[in-house]
Amino acid sequence: MRIPRQQQIRKVMIVEDELDILHLYKDFLRSRGFSVIACSIIADEVLIDYERYMPDLVIVDYKLPGKKNGLQAVREILSEHALAPILLITAFESVKKEVSEDEFFRDKRIQILIKPVKLSRLADIILGINNQYSTKSTTLQS
């Protein structure tokens, strides 16, 4: 699936500890015309990286080594940048419920994608986030 040229998401930051998955996402996104401006295998300095690169979208895996998991990293970014579009990827269905029940995330631009991830689904979600940009929506999407 080709993502339309009028996309607003151009710069992407990826936090993923599995290098093969990280490279797969990076290659896929670059082939679709995105600039992957930052990648990390841990989330310990996620806010510093976010503020340094100011990506249009952050893709974060839930289970990460280091001091923070993906949800903690997302919360840290959104605490300072409430409208940052986030795609949280997890193998745990319970994370979707945890986010939907947490008042903090109610007005945030966060999507949750359950593994295994199909690249076509990733493209659909990015397209949906682009549509949110164009409609200025800030609601939780599941």
Side-chain angles (χ1 to χ4, degrees):
M1 164 181 239
R2 195 90 182 141
I3 297 174
R5 295 189 127 210
Q6 69 269 19
Q7 67 199 21
Q8 286 131 336
I9 294 173
R10 300 203 190 290
K11 302 180 300 181
V12 179
M13 180 172 119
I14 304 171
V15 184
E16 168 62 63
D17 65 314
E18 293 183 43
L19 289 177
D20 56 338
I21 301 294
L22 176 63
H23 290 297
L24 179 69
Y25 293 163
K26 188 180 348 180
D27 291 345
F28 174 74
L29 292 169
R30 284 182 174 161
S31 75
R32 298 303 188 273
F34 296 98
S35 174
V36 179
I37 57 170
C39 294
S40 182
I41 59 169
I42 60 172
D44 294 352
E45 296 187 0
V46 73
L47 184 59
I48 293 167
D49 289 342
Y50 182 87
E51 290 177 342
R52 178 180 299 138
Y53 299 105
M54 295 306 289
D56 301 317
L57 173 66
V58 181
I59 299 173
V60 183
D61 186 34
Y62 174 77
K63 190 172 180 182
L64 297 167
K67 298 175 185 171
K68 298 175 193 160
N69 67 33
L71 191 56
Q72 292 166 325
V74 166
R75 184 181 291 274
E76 184 175 4
I77 292 170
L78 293 173
S79 290
E80 296 295 321
H81 304 276
L83 297 179
I86 306 281
L87 176 55
L88 181 64
I89 298 177
T90 181
F92 307 103
E93 283 281 342
S94 61
V95 173
K96 189 182 258 190
K97 183 178 183 201
E98 181 181 348
V99 169
S100 69
E101 292 177 352
D102 188 330
E103 193 67 34
F104 174 81
F105 295 107
R106 293 251 187 254
D107 62 343
K108 307 298 189 280
R109 291 180 170 168
I110 181 170
Q111 295 267 351
I112 299 173
L113 182 56
I114 303 298
K115 292 180 181 180
V117 175
K118 291 184 177 182
L119 294 178
S120 61
R121 180 70 179 126
L122 181 62
D124 288 345
I125 288 178
I126 293 172
L127 183 59
I129 293 169
N130 273 331
N131 290 338
Q132 284 180 348
Y133 261 148
S134 64
T135 61
K136 306 266 193 246
S137 171
T138 58
T139 58
L140 174 72
Q141 300 292 313
S142 335

